Amino acid sequence: MAAAVAEKKKKSSWRALGLALRNRKTGYMLLFGFAAGLPYALVLGTLYAWLSDSGEIDLETMGVFSLIGLAYAFKFLWSPALDRVDVPLLNRLGKRKQWIVTAQLLIGAALVALSMIAPSNDTIGIFSLLAGLAAFASATQDVVIDAWRVDVADEVATIDMLSTVYQMGYRIAALVGGALALFMAERTDWPTVYLSMGALMLVVGFLGLWAPDADAGARETAEDEGDPYGLRKAGQINPRLRAYALGAVGLLWGWALVTVGLFMVRSLSSNPDTRPDSVEFISTMGPMVVIATVVLPSLIAAWLVRQERKGTNLLVEAAPATSAGDRAMDHLYRALILPLTDLIGRLGWAMIIVIALVLTYRITDAIWGSFAYPFYLGELEYTKDEVAVASKFFGVGALLLGLALGGYLLTAIGRMLTLTLGAFFAAATNLLYADLARGGATMEAFSNLTGFTWLVSHLGGDARLAKLMMAIAGENIAVGVAGAAFVAYLSSIVSKGYSAVQYALLSSLTLLVGTLGRGALGQMIEEQGYFDVFILTTAIGMFAVVLCIIEWVRQARLGKASGVVAPEAAAAPAE
């Protein structure tokens, strides 16, 4: 009987997987994932190879591009506008599609324009401006694609499957914008590479016109023009109190925008000596920006939720907006405050668990990633060609395999179990590198036992390369599973109505923590060596495993208390 049930569940999982992969939304998710990963690879990695090949741009001048990474780290700052502002002429496409298509066309145009400019000391200003525009449009696209994924998910194209397919498209684009771009540049030239990539982005933008959209162009309409969001009905927070809360949050977000904006302007200075250090800025001002835009506004939102639940400071009768100022305040309140009150209202004290999980889940690979090449090339003394084969080609294949495995596990065993297993294996695979740091005896023995060493040797490698490839494969498969599960988890806890702001806020925390930990980790490597660092990162990763279990138990109890089946249990279609 148990075997029959297990077999039925297995068939159901494969059936759900097959239906999802044939869905039109899934196809566009793959395309949008590719569109998100391509400009990131081109402007934050490959572009530096072009500048180096030009022979006219020194390393100090390349510091002007430090602002490009900030567009991705602080993209949540302009995410509220993407929920409320329409693009002229394109707004009929839908709330998300109008921005996705606009961003993709801007990225394509910026890349094509870059292909027409030879980088030199005379053109570095316009060159950096175009690269910055591409990065800004790319970060904007990321925000809206994340929201689109949440909005269009349904019982067939589930949020878990869409999240996995997105990650696959993103990783494929990283390979195209990295390895393939370098390959093309070696055989043609850099302008041809960027012209080709820009044309590809323009084609993607054109194809995006036919993508499905959750609202199909429909906008929110108001029964009462004086109260478009139901904020001025009886039982809602008093407008005066809302104005105070909005003013406080507006000042905090305004300070953050000005701080980041001034840094970007200073980074564009023509004098290299006056340009600020981006790493120092993120490590010092980054936490302050997050406190100002996430922590303090969340506390304000929690207080507002408490007022509403206690029944204090509420309207006793409807008070429709009577002026343009009142209506503007309602728009701003919905953009800045409601996403937070919605999140905290739904999660309550569990918001602390969610934030802790977001902060720690990807910290292991996020911190270690910056030191991968120094470890491979410096500590282990592999050649650049060996690292390219092991990391860029074989490693990307292993990562895609991990994403595919993660997608299947999400369907077969559920989101929280996959999330927990992903956290555990992503942390534990750091021990593979700890073994390499001590000579790699275990990796070599395992590679020999499985016949992998024999295969690599017959393809032109040796036993030494085989053990590196084995370690990279183990880590990348684990990271693939963890990445698919984590994106699915984040997508599952945000609301469709506020998905752009909520997802951007949560995902930004992941990026920041990894950046903050790199300085301390680098110092530890200098003082104690790589082996101790890998043991530490494994231990840090286990905190995320504990938090996953706590969150899993919380969700299970919540489902039982409400009599609702857990999302992962409900995802499998009935036979």
Side-chain angles (χ1 to χ4, degrees):
M1 181 66 180
V5 172
E7 183 65 21
K8 182 178 179 181
K9 183 176 180 181
K10 182 178 179 181
K11 288 182 179 179
S12 181
S13 299
W14 281 112
R15 182 185 174 204
L17 184 63
L19 288 172
L21 291 176
R22 291 195 299 270
N23 191 277
R24 179 165 166 256
K25 294 175 181 178
T26 308
Y28 269 100
M29 189 75 267
L30 183 67
L31 183 70
F32 287 165
F34 181 87
L38 188 62
Y40 188 90
L42 290 171
V43 300
L44 283 186
T46 308
L47 195 64
Y48 289 93
W50 186 4
L51 294 176
S52 298
D53 279 354
S54 70
E56 296 190 33
I57 310 297
D58 57 36
L59 291 175
E60 276 192 305
T61 305
M62 287 185 197
V64 73
F65 290 93
S66 61
L67 67 92
I68 292 176
L70 285 182
Y72 295 94
F74 296 111
K75 60 189 177 184
F76 64 91
L77 290 176
W78 59 89
S79 60
L82 304 178
D83 258 342
R84 306 309 314 149
V85 178
D86 285 330
V87 181
L89 301 179
L90 292 179
N91 60 322
R92 292 179 180 272
L93 294 175
K95 183 167 65 172
R96 306 304 182 197
K97 275 174 59 181
Q98 60 175 333
W99 281 109
I100 292 174
V101 171
T102 300
Q104 289 170 350
L105 294 178
L106 278 175
I107 295 166
L111 294 176
V112 170
L114 279 172
S115 72
M116 300 177 182
I117 301 173
S120 66
N121 288 321
D122 294 331
T123 62
I124 192 64
I126 185 65
F127 199 86
S128 61
L129 183 63
L130 288 170
L133 175 63
F136 178 80
S138 175
T140 299
Q141 175 191 223
D142 289 353
V143 172
V144 191
I145 287 177
D146 288 333
W148 181 88
R149 181 177 62 249
V150 174
D151 291 352
V152 304
D154 55 31
E155 64 279 0
V156 177
T158 64
I159 194 64
D160 295 340
M161 185 54 59
L162 291 177
S163 300
T164 302
V165 171
Y166 168 80
Q167 289 274 305
M168 285 184 172
Y170 197 98
R171 299 300 179 178
I172 292 171
L175 189 60
V176 171
L180 181 60
L182 291 171
F183 181 84
M184 288 177 62
E186 188 69 24
R187 285 152 182 80
T188 57
D189 52 42
W190 284 111
T192 300
V193 171
Y194 276 78
L195 179 62
S196 302
M197 299 297 174
L200 185 57
M201 282 301 303
L202 291 174
V203 170
V204 171
F206 180 73
L207 293 175
L209 293 171
W210 286 273
D213 200 78
D215 58 5
R219 306 299 292 169
E220 292 178 73
T221 57
E223 296 179 5
D224 177 0
E225 291 185 1
D227 186 18
Y229 309 118
L231 296 173
R232 296 175 178 269
K233 295 178 180 179
Q236 295 298 311
I237 295 289
N238 187 290
R240 183 182 295 274
L241 184 61
R242 287 194 287 108
Y244 289 145
L246 179 61
V249 174
L251 285 174
L252 292 168
W253 276 66
W255 171 82
L257 278 168
V258 170
T259 300
V260 175
L262 287 176
F263 174 79
M264 290 183 173
V265 171
R266 289 178 60 203
S267 295
L268 283 170
S269 170
S270 58
N271 183 1
D273 295 333
T274 63
R275 295 174 191 151
D277 186 325
S278 61
V279 175
E280 181 181 355
F281 175 83
I282 293 178
S283 63
T284 55
M285 297 306 298
M288 298 298 295
V289 170
V290 171
I291 289 172
T293 55
V294 180
V295 179
L296 293 179
S298 294
L299 292 175
I300 293 172
W303 184 74
L304 289 172
V305 170
R306 181 175 175 80
Q307 295 299 304
E308 191 168 7
R309 290 179 176 174
K310 287 173 60 179
T312 56
N313 292 308
L314 304 181
L315 286 171
V316 294
E317 60 182 21
T322 57
S323 66
D326 286 345
R327 287 188 286 274
M329 187 189 76
D330 288 348
H331 278 286
L332 290 171
Y333 188 83
R334 188 191 189 282
L336 285 177
I337 308 296
L338 284 188
L340 291 173
T341 58
D342 169 79
L343 199 60
I344 292 170
R346 286 186 294 107
L347 296 176
W349 286 105
M351 186 69 181
I352 297 174
I353 300 173
V354 171
I355 289 179
L357 180 56
V358 169
L359 288 173
T360 58
Y361 192 81
R362 298 304 300 273
I363 190 172
T364 301
D365 53 282
I367 293 179
W368 145 243
S370 298
F371 301 99
Y373 287 118
F375 178 63
Y376 300 148
L377 299 171
E379 180 75 7
L380 302 182
E381 298 182 346
Y382 283 96
T383 67
K384 292 179 182 178
D385 286 344
E386 289 173 330
V387 172
V389 169
S391 179
K392 291 298 183 183
F393 292 98
F394 182 76
V396 170
L399 187 60
L400 291 175
L401 177 61
L403 288 169
L405 177 60
Y408 172 73
L409 291 176
L410 285 167
T411 305
I413 64 175
R415 183 183 304 132
M416 293 310 300
L417 179 53
T418 305
L419 187 77
T420 305
L421 289 176
F424 175 80
F425 287 115
T429 49
N430 280 261
L431 297 177
L432 304 182
Y433 290 105
D435 179 64
L436 289 181
R438 287 288 180 91
T442 303
M443 283 290 92
E444 185 171 359
F446 185 75
S447 182
N448 292 337
L449 181 65
T450 58
F452 187 70
T453 302
W454 176 87
L455 178 62
V456 172
S457 299
H458 279 72
L459 292 175
D462 55 23
R464 187 167 173 273
L465 178 61
K467 65 182 179 182
L468 175 64
M469 294 173 70
M470 184 64 70
I472 289 177
E475 186 205 26
N476 283 11
I477 290 173
V479 167
V481 173
F486 187 60
V487 172
Y489 169 72
L490 284 186
S491 300
S492 72
I493 61 175
V494 301
S495 297
K496 288 192 174 185
Y498 311 106
S499 50
V501 179
Q502 290 178 354
Y503 194 97
L505 282 171
L506 291 173
S507 61
S508 68
L509 298 178
T510 308
L511 293 172
L512 183 65
V513 171
T515 303
L516 296 178
R518 288 168 193 160
L521 199 66
Q523 183 177 353
M524 183 177 177
I525 290 172
E526 289 289 335
E527 295 176 355
Q528 297 177 237
Y530 281 95
F531 178 82
D532 289 345
V533 166
F534 288 125
I535 299 301
L536 175 64
T537 53
T538 301
I540 292 174
M542 292 303 165
F543 282 107
V545 177
V546 173
L547 289 169
C548 284
I549 294 172
I550 294 173
E551 173 66 355
W552 189 2
V553 171
R554 183 193 73 83
Q555 289 195 12
R557 287 181 175 177
L558 187 64
K560 288 181 180 179
S562 62
V564 176
V565 180
E568 50 265 40
E575 290 289 346

